[in-house]
Structure formats: structure tokens, C-alpha cells
Amino acid sequence: MIPARAALAAALALYTFAPQAGAEEFRLSLPLDCELGKTCFIDDYVDIDPERGKQQDFACDYNSRDGHRGTDFSLLSFDSIPEGVSVRAAAPGVVARTRDEMPDDRSMRGVTSQNACGNAVLLDHGEGWQTLYCHMRLGSVAVSQGDLVQPGDTLGLVGLSGQTNHPHLHLTVLRNGKVVDPFRPDPTGKCGITDKTLWADPPVYLATFLVTAGFSDGVPDMKAVFDGSARKTKVTPQSPIVLYINARHLQAGDKVLFSIESPAGTEIFRHEMEIDADKTRLTPSAGRRAPETGWPPGDYLGHATILRGETLIAHRFAHVTVSD
């Protein structure tokens, strides 16, 4: 008999990508207690490109990460973790496995390929279908192995466990142990938006996304943003603090919002810019010089947000430490 811990690790490990057919009867509802485009957004999609070092989402764009095996539903504030945002069953099923032992720690200490999913729930929906819900808050898992659940039932709360540095739910859909992209479940070998999805109410796909956000000690040029040399994880108390982004597919009229929070949680900077023309790629930045007394030491949090009208399109966090 396989020990319970080993079986759990195997069930929650990473899976290889191999979409399966037969999605006619299986449907998913939103797996998070949030409003898409208002209080949450889809951050990353399944990477359908099997080649290592490359990524491609189902719509033939790059809104994914290399080797990403699920769909990420992200929140806008770390405050959402103590407040509690419910992770919900996306389809009726039986609880197959749970894990609720990992700390909420964005430094990801002790995270391996076997526990990267963090605190999690694996649901079995029959006929080979399973859904895996990752990165829940320690102590929040609300179901046990063998429990019957219905769509919308609470499984736990969003946290920071496992391989994550921001509050989000990672949802992986599986059939017969193979990853299925819920936005394009049929194994056609092609990409592109299609009406055939697993979603009961399909989320709208938006090509616009943020590749990254980071801090620098001056206004970085595009090359430095692209090659990563612009990013600073530590600055001195006398350094300027500048927040930058690498964005794709911005549209005229989009608004980019920059804000920076001090270690005490107070906002020390806010800037809004409106995009004047469609941009395939843009690397804007904003920030401020240090006060005469210098920045107080500690960890500073940056928020970069893209809005299209009243709709939230994308958001990224950034972190920098002020130290002597």
C-alpha cells in the first residue's frame, strides 16, 4: 500500500500536457468568489507549447508562462488573504485528496516540485475528469476526502502556500491524468479562440497583459526592462524608487495605474497615464525621488494595473527593500 503522504504528493504533482476529447457533458463554473474584471482577473493561461523555454496560450498569444499547467485567477491585494476569499468547486464531484499543512510564505521556502501546488484540493468528477485547486491559505481547507461537493461549494480560501508570490487560485483541469485547457479542450493541435470550451459561462479572453512589473532606482530603458537588468530588489534610502512594467497589446484609451505602498502600508505614490494609441509592446514607468530624510527602511509594495474603461484587464505586484 502506498503511504498516504506519498499518494498525496503524487496526486498533487505537476502533470504533462495532453488534452483529451469528450468535453461535451463536463462544464465548469467560476472557481473563485470574485467578479472577473472587477475584483479578480485571469493572470495566466495554460501553456500549450510543449517546447521548453517557450510559451503560448490557447489564443495563439503569450499570456502564459513556460510549462504552466493551469489557469490562474488573481486577486488585487494581499489584504484579501486575511479577509478570506472562497475557492469554490467548479463542478459536482467527490474530494479525492487534500493538503493543508504548508505556510503562507511568498518567499517559497521549502517548496519543491512535489508540493508546488501548496495547500490544495483535488476533486474527482467521474469519467476521468478531475480539477485541482492550488495555493490555499493554511488551515482554510473546508472539505475532507470522500466529501460530495456541488458547484459553488467552498473548498477553502485563497492563500500564499506553495509556489506563488501573490494571492491567486491556480486551477488545473485533468482528464485521465492529463492536463486539459478549459478554454480549448479539443486536441486539434491548433491554437485560436473557439466556442468549444469547458466553461458554462466562458470568460472573455483579453489579449492585453502584463509580462512583468518591477522596481528600479531610475527610469529604465526598454532594453534594460527586457533583459532584466532594470530590476532592483534592494535600494538605498537616498535612491529614487521607480515602478516599471512590460505590457503587451495595449489599446488607445487604456489606463495604466501605478501606486507604491510603504512598509507601514500607506500609499506614498500614485500615477495614472492614458494610452494614446494602440501599442503592441510598451514599458512605461513612474516613481519619485527620495525625501530629504531618505526612505524609511523596509519592504515596499508596488501595484501596476491596466483598466479598459471600468474593466480590470491586468495587474502585477512588485517588491523592493530599502536598506542601508
Side-chain angles (χ1 to χ4, degrees), residues 186-249:
D186 292 333
T188 62
K190 299 179 180 179
C191 60
I193 296 175
T194 174
D195 292 335
K196 295 181 180 180
T197 81
L198 296 182
W199 298 104
D201 184 14
V204 174
Y205 174 80
L206 297 167
T208 304
F209 68 101
L210 284 170
V211 179
T212 189
F215 277 107
S216 197
D217 55 4
V219 176
D221 60 26
M222 186 174 289
K223 180 179 182 299
V225 172
F226 289 168
D227 66 23
S229 61
R231 186 181 299 273
K232 305 295 182 185
T233 58
K234 293 183 179 181
V235 296
T236 68
Q238 288 73 40
S239 296
I241 294 182
V242 176
L243 180 61
Y244 66 86
I245 61 171
N246 180 0
R248 290 180 181 241
H249 304 307

Side-chain angles (χ1 to χ4, degrees), residues 14 61 105 165 216 219 278:
L14 297 177
D61 214 313
D105 183 0
N165 59 9
S216 197
V219 176
D278 292 357

